Amino acid sequence: MHVLAETAVATMRPSLSPEQLRCLYKQKSESGRKRATRNGLWIAVAFYLAYSFTDYLFISDVVQYTIAGRLAVGVGSLCILELLLYRNAKADTVDMAAAVSVLAAYLVWLLTAQMTTIKDAFSYYMVFGAIFMMSVNLFFSFRFPVALAASATNMLIFIVALYLFAPMLLLHKLILGAFCISCFIFTSYVNLQLNRERYKVFLNALEASLQQAAADERGKALLQLSNTDSLTGLENRRAIDQRLRDYWERWQDHRVPFAVLLIDVDYFKHYNDYYGHQEGDRCLVAVSHLLQSVASSFGSIIGRYGGEEFIVIAPMQDSESATELAEAMCVGVRALVWPHEHRRDGTSVITVSVGVSYTREQTKQVDKVIHEADRALYAAKATGRDTLVVFDPEDPQSNDDSEDIAATLKIALEHGLVSLVYQPIRNVQTGKTDAVEALMRLAMLDGTPVSPGKFIPVAERTGSIIELGRWAIRTVCRDLLATDLVQVVSVNVSPIELKVPGFAGYVAATLAEFDVTGARLAFEITEGVELEIDKDVVRCISDLRKLGAQVWLDDFGTGFAGLSWLRLIEFDTVKIDRSFLHDCNTERGKRMLLDIITLLRNRGVKILVEGVETIEHQRLMQQYGISQLQGYYIGRPAPASQLEADNVLRFSTIRNPDSRRLFRNGL
Ligand code: C2E
Ligand code: CA
Ligand code: CA
């Protein structure tokens, strides 16, 4: 039977041969065997001494000798046993000593008892020798060879004693001898069975524990797998979300503060486009290893939060230590010097941007911490990337009403909360208002106005901009172009709108609906921080041009990709950002603006300068030969109704191009 069990165990642990298993069995049973032998010998000695009473009953004339012998052997064997155990002898040695003790006990008793004159009683009494044999085979848990040797010796002693000391008929001696041999055979057989049984129990227990260990390992591996990001080996979003919940609970229950860092690999989309996805993966793995080593040196946890975004949860007291960690991450990734030649911002290695936030008394939800880290990350990217930004609750900019704004944007059209105002763009040479720019306005339900600088990014993030943008195009076509109120209207569009399929189709349908020619509609596109030159955007722009619509580049000079845009796309007009005009109070600023103008002239595009706030601004621009101007001095943004009121003026202006009054301070 145990062969089967051995095979089962050996199959589970192929490294274990049957010999090794037996060896393991011996090792495992060592202390158990020693304990059993010790208990056994103490009990056996107690009984051995107790049998002094039967000595007294049956062979009273030599009882003083037998008792002395019993005491000597009993005490002697216990002393030897305890000494062996004290010296940490092996179980085999302890068993051997116990077996020898049993044999000595029998021998000493025989030798003292045979001196009796009550020979008859002694002849029968010596049959008790069988008890010694039973004890080595059945009472103790000796291994089979030890038990066999001891009981065989015991049998020999018995037979020799029978022959030498027992004054009885040969027939009786033969009967007792046969009894003794039978006892030896039967008890040895039972001992063999017992030993096999013990080994089988061990094998079963071993198999059960191996199975348990294997099941535990499988369970652990599965758990590990479901919590691990397969590419980087970091914790995945699922695991990190759980961690965040744990940290949040500790913050709520015991006010243990923590910081959250969101880390984004800069220009990773470009990296993937130029180097391929395999290289992209390699890059992510390298960055993740670096971030992990930094995070663990700060006792923090890191996980992959999505694509090229990582998240770190750091148990920290203040924003300074969180800043140190973020700084170490930026520096560490830069020090990797992992090449990225296609990022268009002058840097040619991989870098990361980090947004940091931490728990504050006012924080009510864990999502808020993440949201704030996300905003800080957004700000870090807007600052030019390869940097960190810590969320600053004191900063009025960070006054987080974006959730309210997002909710308002959803219902804005249906509740009439959005409107358009129009700002004139004047040709100062002709004095004509060539066009107006449509600017969106939003009011909250209670009437509070929200600046576009605030609601446009939210609309872009939530996708509301798509519906709002289309509404703006339709409104402009219906209210201004179809009614011939103005010749050209420019509408601001976010690249997100251009990416969504069907934008150009919508424009075509709207132009057709109001019977307006494409050339009267201009689209202002900003080369902002977030803008990457997307294939879909380029395709959409070319579709718009096919419709005859104009495409203008807005805020030129503020982003990073301006020149690339100029190279890729044919713009009808480029609007130079107002900051360049406002910097013209210094010679350096003037030179800068002139350089930009020269560059654009060489490209052969029309130039428009925005932000004309004073007569001096206008004069300077005229001096530079720029005729298309926009700004508060030219006219402020105003609603269409006001535009209509000034309509008469406009037509009179067209008849009289010298008039400078058009729109002045009106729009
Ligand atoms: P922008 O396209 O650069 O629009 C010009 C902004 O400058 C307007 O701010 C306008 O009021 C302001 N401005 C005009 N003249 C002057 C001046 O002489 N000095 C100064 N300091 N500012 C002047 P507004 O209306 O707050 O719009 C801000 C931004 O919001 C716009 O910048 C544009 O990027 C975005 N935006 C506005 N309407 C829309 C829209 O319908 N769709 C999209 N996607 N974005 C829009
Ligand atoms: Ca604009
Ligand atoms: Ca602008």
Side-chain angles (χ1 to χ4, degrees):
M1 267 300 270
H2 72 258
V3 178
L4 273 177
E6 260 177 2
T7 327
V9 173
T11 325
M12 296 186 63
R13 274 286 159 94
S15 52
L16 291 180
S17 68
E19 288 70 39
Q20 284 171 319
L21 274 175
R22 276 186 207 116
C23 206
L24 188 68
Y25 170 59
K26 261 185 83 175
Q27 273 171 21
K28 294 265 177 202
S29 56
E30 251 320 275
S31 62
R33 275 170 58 204
K34 281 201 251 183
R35 211 176 318 115
T37 305
R38 183 189 200 184
N39 292 343
L41 196 68
W42 274 89
I43 295 169
V45 167
F47 272 100
Y48 183 59
L49 294 178
Y51 271 100
S52 305
F53 183 65
T54 46
D55 289 351
Y56 172 73
L57 283 182
F58 306 138
I59 46 173
S60 53
D61 57 335
V62 290
V63 73
Q64 64 274 35
Y65 304 117
T66 60
I67 289 177
R70 281 178 192 273
L71 274 173
V73 175
V75 174
S77 50
L78 285 180
C79 287
I80 292 169
L81 173 89
E82 290 302 325
L83 186 72
L84 286 174
L85 289 174
Y86 176 74
R87 306 200 62 171
N88 210 9
K90 283 192 172 155
D92 275 352
T93 316
V94 175
D95 278 2
M96 193 64 79
V100 170
S101 301
V102 173
L103 292 176
Y106 183 40
L107 203 59
V108 166
W109 177 77
L110 267 179
L111 291 175
T112 47
Q114 60 80 31
M115 294 190 290
T116 182
T117 51
I118 316 165
K119 291 291 182 194
D120 261 8
F122 172 71
S123 304
Y124 292 106
Y125 191 23
M126 69 183 286
V127 178
F128 273 63
I131 291 180
F132 291 92
M133 191 185 297
M134 284 180 207
S135 81
V136 284
N137 271 334
L138 308 179
F139 181 69
F140 288 96
S141 311
F142 294 154
R143 288 177 58 230
F144 182 64
V146 177
L148 186 73
S151 55
T153 315
N154 190 290
M155 180 181 68
L156 283 177
I157 295 170
F158 182 86
I159 290 169
V160 171
L162 199 62
Y163 177 74
L164 290 179
F165 308 132
M168 56 172 68
L169 290 176
L170 183 63
L171 180 68
H172 291 172
K173 285 189 180 179
L174 285 176
I175 292 170
L176 283 183
F179 166 74
C180 179
I181 291 168
S182 309
C183 270
F184 166 71
I185 293 170
F186 283 115
T187 57
S188 295
Y189 177 74
V190 175
N191 178 279
L192 183 66
Q193 292 300 333
L194 276 175
N195 267 302
R196 281 187 169 163
E197 204 54 42
R198 273 186 218 117
Y199 184 50
K200 219 169 81 190
V201 167
F202 159 76
L203 286 180
N204 288 341
L206 183 65
E207 189 185 339
S209 78
L210 286 180
Q211 271 171 354
Q212 182 64 42
D216 286 354
E217 255 171 50
R218 264 200 311 278
K220 265 191 219 152
L222 267 176
L223 190 71
Q224 174 91 351
L225 206 67
S226 67
N227 282 334
T228 307
D229 171 59
S230 55
L231 177 68
T232 58
L234 298 182
E235 292 195 5
N236 58 17
R237 187 165 187 150
R238 202 183 99 102
I240 282 292
D241 281 344
Q242 183 54 49
R243 296 265 201 186
L244 274 170
R245 280 194 290 275
D246 296 345
Y247 270 80
W248 181 249
E249 253 170 44
R250 278 201 288 156
W251 160 250
Q252 285 201 307
D253 298 345
H254 310 290
R255 281 286 174 258
V256 181
F258 65 93
V260 168
L261 283 74
L262 283 179
I263 303 147
D264 197 87
V265 181
D266 297 327
Y267 295 102
F268 188 70
K269 192 177 170 303
H270 280 114
Y271 189 91
N272 256 342
D273 286 349
Y274 286 101
Y275 294 96
H277 284 271
Q278 239 176 346
E279 269 305 302
D281 284 354
R282 258 179 24 87
C283 171
L284 279 184
V285 170
V287 170
S288 72
H289 286 171
L290 185 277
L291 295 178
Q292 189 174 29
S293 71
V294 177
S296 53
S297 69
F298 277 77
S300 309
I301 295 159
I302 183 166
R304 185 167 173 209
Y305 212 47
E308 70 267 32
E309 197 165 289
F310 300 91
I311 181 169
V312 170
I313 312 170
M316 282 173 185
Q317 293 296 337
D318 49 48
S319 64
E320 276 81 52
S321 40
T323 315
E324 268 173 43
L325 171 54
E327 181 72 45
M329 291 196 154
C330 287
V331 171
V333 172
R334 222 175 299 137
L336 273 180
V337 205
W338 191 280
H340 183 356
E341 307 283 351
H342 300 276
R343 28 186 297 164
R344 300 164 184 277
D345 67 343
T347 310
S348 55
V349 293
I350 281 283
T351 58
V352 289
S353 300
V354 188
V356 185
S357 71
Y358 48 94
T359 42
R360 286 172 288 114
E361 283 308 319
Q362 302 87 325
T363 327
K364 296 281 178 285
Q365 286 170 327
V366 68
D367 288 352
K368 187 93 173 163
V369 190
I370 303 290
H371 181 64
E372 289 174 358
D374 196 35
R375 288 171 59 121
L377 174 62
Y378 187 83
K381 283 197 217 164
T383 332
R385 297 178 164 93
D386 184 19
T387 187
L388 70 99
V389 169
V390 181
F391 179 79
D392 179 6
E394 303 304 322
D395 182 357
Q397 285 274 321
S398 69
N399 183 5
D400 188 15
D401 42 18
S402 65
E403 276 155 44
D404 293 346
I405 293 175
T408 308
L409 283 171
K410 269 193 205 154
I411 54 159
L413 286 177
E414 146 198 1
H415 286 77
L417 300 173
V418 273
S419 57
L420 289 175
V421 290
Y422 303 96
Q423 185 177 29
I425 296 165
R426 184 185 309 152
N427 185 329
V428 283
Q429 233 172 13
T430 61
K432 256 174 60 180
T433 296
D434 284 350
V436 292
E437 177 181 7
L439 294 161
M440 202 176 283
R441 295 290 175 261
L442 173 76
M444 300 299 272
L445 277 170
D446 63 1
T448 325
V450 187
S451 77
K454 248 185 183 173
F455 78 80
I456 296 288
V458 178
E460 287 178 339
R461 218 167 46 229
T462 57
S464 301
I465 195 70
I466 292 158
E467 207 191 341
L468 291 174
R470 291 185 177 198
W471 169 84
I473 293 165
R474 197 161 191 282
T475 308
V476 160
C477 287
R478 189 190 58 206
D479 297 354
L480 269 71
L481 297 176
T483 55
D484 280 335
L485 207 55
V486 281
Q487 188 55 29
V488 173
V489 182
S490 71
V491 181
N492 292 282
V493 282
S494 302
I496 294 168
E497 296 173 63
L498 303 180
K499 264 192 237 175
V500 176
F503 182 82
Y506 178 84
V507 173
T510 313
L511 289 173
E513 186 186 346
F514 296 104
D515 196 17
V516 171
T517 52
R520 297 183 63 196
L521 197 57
F523 292 98
E524 293 193 16
I525 304 164
T526 310
E527 45 133 341
V529 275
E530 275 304 295
L531 184 55
E532 297 188 344
I533 307 178
D534 192 287
K535 285 194 280 298
D536 296 333
V537 172
V538 175
R539 196 175 308 124
C540 179
I541 290 174
S542 112
D543 289 347
L544 290 174
R545 293 187 65 85
K546 278 184 206 149
L547 294 174
Q550 301 186 38
V551 180
W552 297 2
L553 180 57
D554 201 357
D555 301 339
F556 182 73
T558 52
F560 301 107
L563 292 176
S564 319
W565 274 90
L566 274 186
R567 210 179 55 204
L568 266 175
I569 298 159
E570 214 181 303
F571 289 101
D572 299 280
T573 296
V574 173
K575 294 177 84 171
I576 298 177
D577 189 69
R578 62 171 169 267
S579 56
F580 294 99
L581 176 58
H582 294 178
D583 283 350
C584 279
N585 42 11
T586 65
E587 275 312 306
R588 197 162 173 270
K590 278 184 189 156
R591 265 206 311 280
M592 183 80 179
L593 181 58
L594 259 180
D595 284 349
I596 292 178
I597 291 170
T598 315
L599 179 129
L600 291 174
R601 280 205 175 117
N602 289 340
R603 297 282 320 166
V605 288
K606 270 201 222 163
I607 302 171
L608 193 161
V609 173
E610 51 181 11
V612 177
E613 292 180 349
T614 58
I615 180 80
E616 287 76 26
H617 280 157
Q618 183 174 324
R619 283 194 187 126
L620 186 71
M621 287 306 98
Q622 279 175 308
Q623 195 186 320
Y624 288 173
I626 306 290
S627 48
Q628 294 271 92
L629 300 181
Q630 186 184 6
Y632 291 161
Y633 180 71
I634 308 291
R636 284 183 180 265
S641 53
Q642 194 156 350
L643 202 64
E644 269 175 86
D646 289 337
N647 203 12
V648 184
L649 265 182
R650 185 177 72 83
F651 282 113
S652 66
T653 313
I654 291 171
R655 278 183 230 111
N656 176 13
D658 288 338
S659 168
R660 297 281 150 119
R661 281 178 301 142
L662 175 74
F663 284 116
R664 178 164 303 163
N665 305 325
L667 285 187

